[in-house]
Every structure is written in C-alpha cells, then in structure tokens.
C-alpha cells in the first residue's frame, strides 16, 4: 500500500515497511497501514519509534485510547520485530496524571531517535516527556515521567514486576508493580521492553545462571523463581520437565494444578522435585429430576465453576469446609469438612425454585475496567454458575468487551455496555460498540454535561437501553424536563425505593432493576432468544432483588401490566427463596410509598408466603420483601409496578 503523509516538520514521509538494519533507528509519523504493528491499536498518523529490534507506537495528540480525560502521546503498541502487539495502552504520569493538549515532535540522530511529547500537567504547568530508543537497544527509555499505568489485555498475569501479556509475550521494566485488579501501575520506572520469556529473562538478569530439572508427577505447571523469598519470574513445566535461567542466590518453587506447592529449593541444574500426593474433586451437580446444573464449588478459600455435567477440579489435597451453590433460585449444599486425597467424587442434588423466572445482572464489571481483567469467557462461566441467564458486561468510562463462545453461550445471553463516571451517579447503557478511534473506546464524555445531557448522549437517539440510579434521579431535576426518559432505574437497596415510587406517582414507568433482576415469564422448558429475554425485561416484567423471588399478580396480571380491574380486583402474592436466604417480611406498596399491608415470614424453603387479598382502589401497586434488619437488610426484593389505570 503506497501513501504519504506529512509529519510535523513538513517533511513528507513515504511508506517504508521494511525491517530496519542493525544500527538503524528512526522516529516518525506513520504514513501507511503497512507500517503498523500486527494486532495493534495504532493508526495511520500515530507515531512510530523503531530500530532493528523493537517497535513502539505512540498515539497522536488528540486523546488517549483508554481514558476520557487525558491527551494522546500515550504508548499503544510495543513489539519486537516480527511479533504482534498484545497490550492496550501505557498511560504515563507526570505528577498524579498524564498530560492534556499534547503536541508530539520526532527527533532523529544516527545513534538514537526520540519522540518528545509536550503538554500541560495536572497542575497547569507545561511538561515534556521523552521516549528515547537507541540504535542498538532492546529497551525504551522513558524520561520525565513518575510512573505509568498499563491497561493490560484481558487474561494478563503479573508475576513479581513482570507482566505476562500472554503465555509467550512478556513486558518488563525497572519499575515496581501495583496491581489494581485490572490496570497495573508501575512506579519509579525509566525503561521498559517486551519480548518472549527467554528474552525478558536475559534482559532482566544479565548474570543469570541456567536452571533445569524434573517434577514428579510428570505434569504441566510453572517453576516460580523467587528473589528474597518473593516471586520474580516463572518458567513453564512441560510433562514434568523444566529449563530456563535464574539469578544467583534465587530459589525455585514448583506449582502444578492439583498439588501443593513444593518447598523452595536452590536454583540449580538437574533439580528433582517431588510434589507428593495430589488432590482432585470430580464434582457433578443436578436437580432431583436429573437436570444438570452449572454451579460453584467452594472448598477452603478457593472457588471453582462447574459446568453442567460436572468437572474434574484440581483442588490439591487437604481437608476443609465445602459448599456447592447454583444461585438464588437453588438450594445450597455444604459440609464442615471435606477431605480430598487422590480423586474424590462429589455428587450433589440441588432443588430449584418453581417460579418461572430468569436471573439477570445488568451491571457486571468487565474488561477493560480498571478493576477487572479476567476474560469475558471466564466471567460468563461464573455468571452461569450463579444461575444468571442474561448479563450486561460494562466498564466505568470505557466499553466492555462481551464476546463469549462454547457451551456457556447456549445458556447465557451477554451484551456489552458502558457505565459513566462523573458527578451524576452511575448511568449505564447497552448495547455499545467499541471504537478505537475515540477516547475510552467511545465511552460517554460526561465532563461538561449535566445529568439529562449525559443520558441523552448515552441513549444514542433511542438505540441504547439506559439505566440510571437514585443519584442520577436527584441530579436530573424535575422529570418533566427529562428527554429522553431512562429505560430503567437500578436500586442498590430498599432505602432507595422512594426515589422510584416518586416517579410512578408522576405516571412514569421505567423498568425496575436491582443488584440482580428476575425476569418473569421465562421457564426452563422453553427456548428463548436474546431478543425474547430483552423484550420481557423492557416490558417491565421484573423483580429487583438480591436473591428472593416475588410473584405479584392482580387479576392474574404481573409487573409491567396495565389492567382494567373489576369492581373488586384480587391481588395474589408469593415469596420464594431457598432456606439459605433469610426472608423475614413482605409488604404491599402503593401510591406515595404507602404500605397497604405487611406480612411476617418464618424460616423455610421454596414458597415462603402465599396470600390473596381484595385490592382497594389505587393507581399502581408493587410488592417488596426483606431479610434481617428490615428495609436496611442486605436481603431484599421489589417487584415492578402493576398499573390499575392510566394517566
């Protein structure tokens, strides 16, 4: 592909996608797609710094890729020649944060090339950061920064201060890592590099010595290299054999799934490590009718997901308390002590609620949120094990990736969304497509928008479903001024219920959702599409919940319905919850939040309450329930309204 673009000094660059010779180095604006790094985030008009070994792409000055509030000049791709990029973005800090209003200048000398990024820091002072690459170097020098934040790809592991972007590609620096759970901060850093495992070991330890050995049993796992007793690096174990390098004075620990970690042993060649007896649990979970269930198996401090049909779990040997759960629609199995030596069978029967409902979670934090980097597939397996059938993955001030596959995709519908930060609560929306050309993948630019303006931006002219919280409602002012209206209101607790009932009293009918949400009218014996499920949710056939199921009917109609009652409409209420969910009370609520009647519930399992009553004249009615602590309880549920008239 031939093309030409001007750089900042006015010199026109033509496409030159060849690998540089040893001793060559250059910095320039990228003139064509052929010069981009494979699988990278770079674009034409970004900046390229490269020699014969290393290639670095710096985002042009407009905006960062993963942040709304800072400028470009961030590092979006780093790779060895001939390799693909595997990271999202490195955002440096100058003081507490990165720069805004950024300009970039390329400088080239025979021995080195550099990109000079100039902008304004968080204190309003001009600052310049330099990315410098020597002609014969395999590391990038970082001048003028106090550290950086790495937005790592989903599935990234951190071993000591080494970032494993993939099983083969690693990122190293001279900094100290601080893991946020999603993003990784590096402090006191002045250089970084990427490479394969052996390349990173050679770069990190020029004086390293060879290690090798065998592990019994002959399985796969990792040899962890410890310096001063702390993890610093690791090498793979393949069929019981390992080899690599380690610095003088370090020790090795073997980790193989299903076995206890070995004792630390000196880092030497021809090392023999015996891990002893292993421990494995073959877990199968089903209903009394023989229907296989996805579930969680917890043993000691660890938890595993179990797919329908069961799984052989590598637990390691020992004895600890164990539980098996499959979400709030199921009973729970537990034992105070489960001993696992060799392979043990754990066959569990869990009963399921009779209520025809599907569990939804419309606010699942996913990658690339700053607190989460587990892949969407792993999150989906956990959601399925918790009984969830519909989920929205989202990231704060970013757009979550929500692609799943395999068997779990047959039982769980997943959508990708975004949640806005800022002072107006935490509004969220879906579906949302990611855009690499826009700041934070195209998340809502909330700065400068009021609450209603933010909602209108997120609504995207009606193409997205929007969900707001009590904080947004308080910030948005009179509902008569809202345009558009939110699709749904998400309650965090029953204490927030008045903010929702006040909308009902104004004849607004947003769908009610909660930390979890039951969608009515969906039974396990019928196949549904994602469109079917979303349609029922959007129709208001919901129960906001932390677990309990409420079934509310007026003349046979449920939440979301508008009915023309007879002279004496009949209300019917049921409360369903397994024995491990404590529910102590329930109530019928109507206009102004007035409690029409309360009910006391005792311990039990399954259907905990079933009552029928004639209903007095009222515009709308809903039901709530709670656990220990009354309406401040962590256990609660609230149905959407049933309308008995229209404005």
């Amino acid at each position: 592909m031939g093309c030409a673009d001007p750089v900042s000094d006015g010199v026109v660059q033509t496409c030159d996608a060849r690998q540089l010779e040893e001793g060559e180095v250059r910095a320039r604006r990228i003139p064509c797609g052929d010069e981009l790094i494979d699988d990278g985030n770079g674009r034409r008009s970004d900046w390229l710094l490269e020699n014969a070994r290393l290639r670095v792409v710096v985002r042009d000055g407009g905006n960062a890729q993963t942040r709304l509030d800072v400028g470009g000049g961030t590092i979006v791709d780093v790779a060895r020649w001939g390799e693909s990029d595997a990271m999202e973005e490195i955002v440096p800090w100058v003081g507490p944060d990165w720069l805004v209003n950024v300009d970039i200048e390329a400088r080239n000398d025979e021995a080195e090339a550099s990109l000079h990024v100039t902008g304004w820091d968080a204190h309003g002072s001009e600052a310049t950061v330099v990315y410098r690459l020597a002609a014969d170097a395999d590391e990038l020098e970082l001048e003028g920064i106090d550290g950086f934040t790495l937005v790592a790809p989903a599935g990234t592991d951190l071993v000591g201060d080494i970032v494993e972007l993939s099983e083969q590609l690693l990122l190293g620096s001279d900094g100290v890592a601080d893991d946020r759970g999603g993003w990784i901060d590096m402090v006191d850093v002045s250089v970084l590099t990427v490479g394969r495992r052996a390349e990173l070991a050679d770069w990190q330890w020029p004086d390293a010595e060879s290690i090798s050995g065998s592990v019994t049993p002959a399985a796969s796992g990792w040899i962890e290299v410890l310096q001063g007793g702390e993890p610093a690096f690791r090498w793979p174990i393949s069929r019981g054999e390992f080899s690599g390098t380690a610095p003088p004075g370090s020790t090795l620990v073997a980790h193989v799934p299903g076995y206890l970690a070995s004792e630390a042993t000196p880092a030497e060649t021809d090392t023999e490590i015996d891990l002893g007896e292993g421990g494995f649990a073959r877990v199968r979970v089903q209903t009394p009718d023989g229907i296989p269930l996805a579930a969680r198996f917890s043993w000691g401090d660890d938890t595993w997901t179990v797919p329908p049909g069961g799984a052989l779990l590598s637990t390691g040997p020992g004895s600890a308390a164990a539980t098996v759960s499959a979400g709030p629609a199921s009973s729970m199995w537990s034992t105070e002590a489960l001993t696992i030596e060799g392979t043990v069978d754990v066959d569990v029967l869990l009963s399921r609620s009779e209520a025809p409902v599907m569990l939804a979670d419309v606010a699942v934090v996913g990658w690339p949120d700053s607190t989460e980097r587990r892949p969407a597939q792993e999150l989906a397996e956990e959601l399925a094990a918790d009984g969830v059938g519909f989920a929205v993955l989202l990231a704060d001030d970013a757009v979550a990736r929500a692609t799943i596959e395999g068997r779990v995709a047959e039982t769980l519908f997943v959508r990708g969304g975004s949640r806005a930060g800022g002072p107006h609560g935490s509004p969220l929306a879906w579906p949302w497509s990611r855009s690499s050309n826009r700041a934070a993948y195209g998340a809502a630019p909330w700065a400068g928008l009021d609450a209603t303006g933010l909602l209108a931006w997120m609504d995207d002219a009606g193409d997205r479903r929007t969900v707001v919280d009590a904080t947004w409602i308080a910030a948005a002012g009179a509902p008569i001024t809202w345009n558009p209206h939110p699709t749904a209101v998400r309650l965090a607790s029953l204490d927030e219920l008045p903010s929702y009932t006040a909308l009902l009293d104004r004849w607004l009918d947003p769908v009610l959702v909660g930390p979890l949400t039951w969608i009515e009218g969906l039974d396990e014996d019928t196949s549904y599409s994602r469109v079917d499920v979303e349609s029922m949710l959007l129709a208001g056939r919901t129960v906001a919940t932390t677990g309990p199921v409420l079934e509310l009917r007026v003349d046979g109609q449920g939440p979301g319905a508008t009915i023309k009652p007879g002279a004496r409409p009949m209300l019917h209420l049921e409360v369903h919850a397994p024995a491990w969910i404590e529910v102590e009370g329930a109530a019928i609520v109507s206009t102004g939040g007035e409690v029409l009647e309360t009910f006391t519930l005792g311990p039990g399992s399954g259907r905990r309450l079933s009552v029928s009553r004639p209903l007095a004249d009222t515009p709308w009615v809903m039901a709530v329930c709670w656990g220990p602590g009354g309406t401040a309880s962590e256990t609660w549920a609230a149905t959407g309204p049933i309308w008995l008239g229209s404005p």
Side-chain angles (χ1 to χ4, degrees):
M1 175 168 49
C3 52
D5 275 347
V7 296
S8 57
D9 59 6
V11 176
V12 174
Q13 301 285 1
T14 57
C15 193
D16 181 12
R18 65 186 174 86
Q19 180 174 354
L20 301 189
E21 301 288 339
E22 284 289 339
E24 283 188 286
V25 64
R26 67 184 178 188
R28 68 192 213 144
R29 192 187 290 271
I30 299 173
C32 65
D34 288 349
E35 289 193 21
L36 296 173
I37 297 175
D38 289 345
D39 297 328
N41 297 305
R43 311 157 300 175
R44 287 183 55 192
S45 81
D46 286 340
W47 299 79
L48 179 64
L49 185 58
E50 63 179 342
N51 61 17
R53 307 176 188 179
L54 194 67
R55 311 185 76 208
V56 179
V57 175
V58 172
R59 193 170 176 90
D60 197 24
N63 55 263
Q65 175 167 289
T66 60
R67 293 273 302 277
L68 287 168
D69 53 346
V70 296
T74 57
I75 299 170
V76 291
D77 300 323
V78 182
R80 298 277 178 134
W81 260 101
E83 302 285 347
S84 298
D85 173 70
M87 65 167 221
E88 285 297 302
E89 186 171 35
I90 289 174
V91 182
W93 322 323
V94 178
D97 212 338
W98 182 228
L99 308 176
V100 296
N101 299 326
V102 164
D103 289 316
I104 302 175
E105 177 189 2
R107 298 183 186 178
N108 290 279
D109 296 315
E110 287 188 7
E112 66 177 32
S114 58
L115 292 172
H116 294 244
V117 182
T118 301
W120 299 92
D121 65 19
H123 303 294
S125 300
E126 190 175 57
T128 297
V129 167
V130 180
Y131 304 129
R132 191 182 308 278
L133 183 63
D136 59 352
D138 52 13
E139 65 184 27
L140 177 69
E141 298 178 37
L142 309 169
E143 299 178 8
I145 71 170
D146 296 299
F148 65 72
T149 296
L150 170 66
V151 182
T156 291
D157 288 326
L158 182 65
V159 180
D161 298 318
I162 296 294
V163 182
E164 297 190 350
L165 301 170
S166 66
E167 189 167 322
Q168 294 297 327
L169 187 64
L170 282 63
L171 182 146
S173 74
D174 60 347
V176 178
D178 181 14
D179 193 349
R180 298 198 213 174
W183 299 356
I184 299 170
D185 294 333
M186 287 286 181
V187 298
D188 299 326
V189 60
S190 62
V191 296
L192 69 84
T193 191
V194 297
R196 292 183 174 271
R197 197 169 295 274
E199 293 170 328
L200 258 292
D202 291 344
W203 174 83
Q204 184 173 231
W205 302 313
D207 59 346
E209 300 173 346
S210 295
I211 61 169
S212 64
S214 61
V215 176
T216 303
S220 297
W222 295 99
I223 287 289
E224 199 169 54
V225 178
L226 276 60
Q227 283 188 293
E230 296 296 325
F233 204 79
R234 64 181 183 177
W235 295 96
I237 303 170
S238 178
R239 298 180 181 179
E241 302 291 328
F242 68 89
S243 63
T245 58
S250 58
T251 56
L252 308 178
V253 173
H255 296 271
V256 173
Y259 296 83
L260 298 178
S262 70
E263 297 291 332
T265 186
E268 300 172 346
T269 57
D270 300 323
T271 301
E272 295 184 359
I273 299 174
D274 190 341
L275 296 179
E277 182 73 13
F280 303 87
R282 184 179 289 108
V283 182
R284 292 176 289 256
V285 185
Q286 60 184 10
T287 69
D289 296 332
I291 300 173
L293 296 177
R296 285 182 184 258
F297 173 72
S298 298
W299 184 67
D301 295 330
D302 297 311
T303 299
W304 296 261
T305 59
V306 180
L312 181 64
L313 307 177
S314 301
T315 60
S319 184
T323 61
V324 175
S325 62
S330 297
S331 60
M332 181 183 295
W333 173 89
S334 65
T335 181
E336 292 184 1
L338 175 64
T339 299
I340 299 178
E341 294 177 352
T343 300
V344 300
D345 290 321
V346 181
D347 292 300
V348 174
L349 297 179
L350 298 181
S351 59
R352 297 276 292 177
S353 169
E354 299 176 358
V357 290
M358 174 183 285
L359 190 61
D361 190 340
V362 300
V364 181
V365 175
W367 182 86
D369 189 86
S370 63
T371 64
E372 182 61 77
R373 62 173 181 272
R374 287 176 295 170
Q377 188 74 20
E378 183 177 339
L379 294 175
E381 290 166 358
E382 292 187 0
L383 289 165
D386 289 333
V388 175
F390 177 83
V392 178
L393 300 189
L394 52 82
D396 288 337
D397 289 336
V399 181
R401 183 169 290 169
T403 302
I404 63 172
E405 58 186 14
R407 188 172 180 180
V408 70
E410 299 173 5
T411 59
L412 174 65
F413 300 113
V414 173
R415 299 285 257 166
S418 180
R419 183 165 57 192
H424 308 310
S426 301
L428 62 93
W430 84 87
W432 206 304
S433 299
R434 293 160 54 92
S435 170
S436 61
N437 289 321
R438 298 169 66 182
Y441 308 98
W446 50 263
L449 295 175
D450 62 14
T452 55
L454 174 59
L455 186 73
W457 200 100
M458 299 180 74
D459 179 81
D460 194 26
D463 286 341
R464 298 194 187 112
R465 316 307 182 196
T466 56
V467 182
V468 300
D469 56 14
T471 302
W472 183 92
I473 293 172
I480 196 172
T481 66
W482 300 356
N483 186 21
H485 289 164
T487 305
V489 171
R490 185 172 184 262
L491 301 184
S493 70
L494 275 186
D495 288 337
E496 295 180 348
L497 186 62
S499 65
Y500 181 70
T501 58
L503 299 181
L504 302 182
D505 287 341
R506 293 173 179 265
W507 294 97
L508 300 178
D509 60 347
V511 175
L512 182 63
V513 297
L516 295 170
T517 303
W518 293 110
I519 304 175
E520 290 196 348
L522 300 164
D523 61 75
E524 295 181 348
D525 298 328
T526 305
S527 296
Y528 297 95
S529 69
R530 176 185 56 76
V531 173
D532 295 332
V533 173
E534 283 194 82
S535 295
M536 293 187 183
L537 186 151
L538 298 175
R541 303 183 65 177
T542 62
V543 179
T545 188
T546 61
V549 178
L550 290 169
E551 282 194 79
L552 177 67
R553 299 290 182 268
V554 176
D555 287 351
Q557 300 295 307
T562 299
I563 63 175
K564 294 181 179 180
R568 197 63 168 166
M570 289 297 297
L571 176 147
H572 182 74
L573 174 64
E574 293 185 4
V575 179
H576 297 257
W580 60 271
I581 298 179
E582 294 184 81
V583 184
E584 294 187 349
I588 306 299
V589 179
S590 188
T591 309
E594 179 186 359
V595 175
L596 301 182
E597 188 173 2
T598 60
F599 308 93
T600 299
L601 282 68
S605 180
R607 184 184 290 112
R608 310 280 279 274
L609 176 71
S610 179
V611 295
S612 296
R613 297 283 191 276
L615 182 64
D617 184 31
T618 184
W620 58 264
V621 66
M622 63 187 300
V624 299
C625 71
W626 56 85
T631 57
S633 172
E634 294 182 358
T635 300
W636 61 274
T639 70
I642 299 174
W643 296 90
L644 285 81
S646 57

